[in-house]
Each structure stands twice: as structure tokens, then as C-alpha cells.
Amino acid sequence: MAAHTTYVLATVSVGALLFRRSYPVAVALVCGATFTWLDALDHQGELLNLPVAVALFGVAVSGYRRRTIVAGVVAASWFGTFGVRARQWIS
């Protein structure tokens, strides 16, 4: 069951990237939510956050400076949280 859930969430996350030019913030939220869900299922891997990074880049280049700054601050704190959790897995 876990493998099926992983494939579905990964497909949703990558599929959402098709709409990143039209709805950059919504795509970033979908990708972030799927990555968080995968992390809650204890999946580990560097490539799991790649769709999130692409979606955040889409937010950054969409043109609004304030939204870019807010997205950057949220992303830095969010990735920092997962970085701390990754250290706990390693040790």
C-alpha cells in the first residue's frame, strides 16, 4: 500500500508542475503538501523535493517581489525543518 501511495503522490506532484506558469502559488502548495505527506510516510530521498524546488522557482519568476520574498522565507524555514529531521534520521 505504501508503494502505491508513493507513486500516486509523486505523480500528483510532478503533474502539478504542468500548471506552474498559470498557477504558480497553487502548484507550489500542491508540491509542498505532497512532499510533506511523503515525508510523514517516512520516505527519504533527495529527489523527493525536486518538484517543490521547481515550483518555488516558478513562484519566484512570476513577477511579484513581495510574493517572491514571502515564498523564499517560507521555503527556507520549511526546508530547514526537514533538514533538522534528516539529521535525526542519520544519527
Side-chain angles (χ1 to χ4, degrees), residues 64-88:
Y64 299 106
R65 185 174 298 187
R66 180 175 292 159
R67 184 169 60 185
T68 300
I69 292 170
V70 169
V73 169
V74 169
S77 61
W78 185 70
F79 278 119
T81 302
F82 287 106
V84 169
R85 286 196 57 193
R87 281 197 188 151
Q88 292 172 356

Side-chain angles (χ1 to χ4, degrees), residues 40-63:
L41 294 174
D42 287 333
H43 290 278
Q44 301 171 13
E46 294 81 19
L47 292 178
L48 295 176
N49 64 357
L50 188 59
V52 179
V54 172
L56 288 172
F57 179 77
V59 171
V61 300
S62 65

